[in-house]
Amino acid sequence: MAAASFQVDQDAQGRRHIVLQGQWSLRALENDFAKLKKSLQPIFSDPLAQWDLTQVEQLDTAGAAVLWAGWQGKIDGRIALTETQTAIFDTLAQIDSQTPKKARQSYLLNLIAKWGTLSMFVSSHVWDFVRLLGLLVMELGYLLRRPQDFPWREFSANIYKSGITALPVTALLGFMIGVAMSYLMATQLRAFGADIFIVNILGLAIIRELGPILMAVLVAGRSGSAMTAQIGVMRVTEEIDALATMGISRILRVVLPKVLGLTFIAPMLVIWTSLWALFGGALSANTELGLGFRFFFDYLAAVVQPVNLTLSLIKGLMFGFIVALVACHFGLRIKPNTESLSLSTTSSVVTAITCVILIDAGFAILTSGIGV
C-alpha cells in the first residue's frame, strides 16, 4: 500500500503539472496530511497549475479535504478527476454549503444580550442567597422547638477553626498596622506640636473602623475560603447528596454551624485585633514621641467614647455573618468539577470582602454623628 505522494512536471509553456499518486486516505497509516498540505501550499497558489488525480489508488474525504481547502473549494477544468473522486468532492461541497454561517449582529444587540446575561446571572445569585437565608431562618425556628437537635459539635468545631486558629495572624497583622499608622502619624503630629492627639486618632480609627475591617478581610480570605472549599469538596464527592439521602438537613448540619460559629466568634476577634493594633500604636508612639504606655491607655479611655466599642462589636457581628453566609452560598453553588471549585472559592473571597466594605461604608454614613 503506497503512501500519498505527488510529482511535479513542467511543460514548454512553463505550466506545472502535478500528478498525485498512491493512497490519499487514512488507510495508509504513514500518511501525514499536515506535511502534505505544507508541501503543496506553494503550488496551490499557482492559478495555471494542472492537477491530475487519475493515478491515485484511493481517495477518501480526509485526503480530499486537504486538496479541497488548497483549491479554496473550487473545481475547474485544470483538475482531472475520476467519477468516484468527483462524487467525493461533491460531498465536500454539500457539507460546506450546509455549514451555518455566523449571523452578523449589531453592537446594540450584543450589548443588550450581554446585559441580559449579566442580569440573569446576578438575579440567580440573589435568588439563591435569599433562599439560603430563608432556609437558615426556618432551621433556627426548628431549633427553637427542638433545642436538643442543635449541632453543638459542629458549632464548637467552627468556632475553633474560624476563631481560635485565627488568633496569631490577626494579632500579627493588627500589631503591624498599629505600628505603621502610629509611626506615620507621629511624623506629622510632631511637626505641629500635637503629639498627644495621636491617641485620639489611633483610638477612634482602630476601635471603630480598622479593627472590624481587618478582622473581616482576614476571616474572608482565611476562613471564608476554607468554608467554600469544604462545602465544594462535599459537593464534588457527593457528600451533600448523601446527607439528603439519609434525611439529614444540609442546612442544619453544614451551613448553620458555620454561620453561627463565625458570627459568634467575630466580635471577639475584633476586640483581639484592635487590642494588638492599639498595643502596636502605643509602642510606636512611645518610641517616636516618648508617650508612656500607661498615659497612652489612660488617655485613650478618656477621649474615645464607649459607644465606639459597641459599634465595633456590632460591625463584627454583621461582618462575621455576611462572610460566613457568602462563603456557604458560593459553596453550595459549586458544580462537581475542580474548575468550578476554584472559581467559586475565589468569587467567595472577593464578594465577601466587597460586601464588607460596602456595609462598612453604609454603616459609617448612618452612624456618622455617634461617638465622634
Side-chain angles (χ1 to χ4, degrees):
M1 184 181 296
S5 62
F6 63 91
Q7 181 180 350
V8 181
D9 299 323
Q10 198 167 8
D11 60 13
Q13 286 78 23
R15 292 177 300 183
R16 287 185 290 187
H17 293 261
I18 302 92
V19 180
L20 274 60
Q21 300 168 340
Q23 292 273 347
W24 283 72
S25 70
L26 295 176
R27 291 184 62 185
L29 300 179
E30 62 271 24
N31 279 344
D32 187 348
F33 288 117
K35 187 177 180 180
L36 284 170
K37 184 177 181 180
K38 186 176 180 180
S39 301
L40 289 170
Q41 196 63 42
I43 308 174
F44 283 136
S45 58
D46 185 359
L48 300 178
Q50 304 289 323
W51 296 80
D52 185 2
L53 278 66
T54 57
Q55 298 184 29
V56 172
E57 298 176 15
Q58 184 179 15
L59 177 71
D60 63 5
T61 52
V66 174
L67 301 172
W68 180 260
W71 296 333
Q72 298 181 353
K74 297 178 181 178
I75 303 293
D76 52 26
R78 299 181 298 113
I79 304 170
L81 302 171
T82 65
E83 294 183 0
T84 303
Q85 294 168 353
T86 303
I88 293 175
F89 283 107
D90 289 342
T91 302
L92 291 178
Q94 292 177 5
I95 294 175
D96 279 354
S97 63
Q98 293 173 2
T99 302
K101 294 184 179 180
K102 187 176 180 180
R104 185 177 181 182
Q105 297 180 348
S106 66
Y107 175 78
L108 179 60
L109 290 177
N110 286 330
L111 185 62
I112 294 173
K114 289 180 180 179
W115 272 107
T117 303
L118 179 62
S119 300
M120 293 177 64
F121 176 76
V122 173
S123 62
S124 68
H125 272 280
V126 172
W127 170 255
D128 287 347
F129 190 83
V130 173
R131 182 171 175 268
L132 177 61
L133 191 60
L135 291 173
L136 281 174
V137 173
M138 292 176 62
E139 293 296 345
L140 287 173
Y142 168 79
L143 291 175
L144 289 176
R145 298 193 305 271
R146 297 179 59 88
Q148 67 272 18
D149 291 341
F150 189 86
W152 289 107
R153 180 175 297 180
E154 294 86 349
F155 175 71
S156 59
N158 280 284
I159 289 178
Y160 175 78
K161 289 187 291 185
S162 302
I164 306 302
T165 57
L167 293 178
V169 66
T170 51
L172 177 62
L173 184 61
F175 178 79
M176 297 307 297
I177 290 293
V179 169
M181 286 186 60
S182 181
Y183 174 77
L184 293 174
M185 291 177 187
T187 305
Q188 300 299 319
L189 293 174
R190 187 191 298 115
F192 297 96
D195 300 3
I196 194 172
F197 289 106
I198 193 172
V199 182
N200 304 57
I201 301 172
L202 279 177
L204 191 62
I206 290 175
I207 293 176
R208 182 163 177 155
E209 295 295 336
L210 282 179
I213 285 291
L214 285 176
M215 182 280 304
V217 171
L218 279 173
V219 167
R222 183 184 178 278
S223 302
S225 60
M227 290 179 183
T228 304
Q230 182 184 9
I231 297 176
V233 170
M234 293 179 70
R235 289 271 297 168
V236 173
T237 58
E238 299 182 353
E239 293 179 55
I240 296 292
D241 297 332
L243 289 175
T245 302
M246 293 185 292
I248 301 174
S249 171
R250 62 179 182 176
I251 304 299
L252 180 62
R253 290 294 173 183
V254 178
V255 177
L256 187 64
K258 298 183 186 302
V259 175
L260 292 183
L262 188 54
T263 304
F264 174 80
I265 201 65
M268 302 178 191
L269 286 175
V270 170
I271 297 176
W272 172 261
T273 307
S274 300
L275 285 175
W276 277 97
L278 289 172
F279 177 71
L283 180 63
S284 181
N286 178 263
T287 304
E288 296 294 323
L289 301 176
L291 296 180
F293 286 98
R294 183 170 183 178
F295 172 80
F296 184 95
F297 286 102
D298 286 345
Y299 190 62
L300 177 68
V303 297
V304 179
Q305 299 181 24
V307 68
N308 291 294
L309 180 59
T310 304
L311 293 175
S312 178
L313 295 178
I314 293 174
K315 284 184 180 181
L317 279 171
M318 295 170 56
F319 294 165
F321 177 76
I322 288 298
V323 168
L325 197 62
V326 168
C328 294
H329 163 73
F330 278 95
L332 291 173
R333 286 178 62 93
I334 290 177
K335 298 177 182 178
N337 59 75
T338 54
E339 183 179 358
S340 177
L341 177 63
S342 62
L343 181 62
S344 292
T345 303
T346 304
S347 301
S348 169
V349 175
V350 174
T351 304
I353 294 176
T354 303
C355 290
V356 163
I357 294 174
L358 291 176
I359 292 173
D360 183 71
F363 199 83
I365 294 173
L366 293 175
T367 61
S368 58
I370 302 176
V372 180

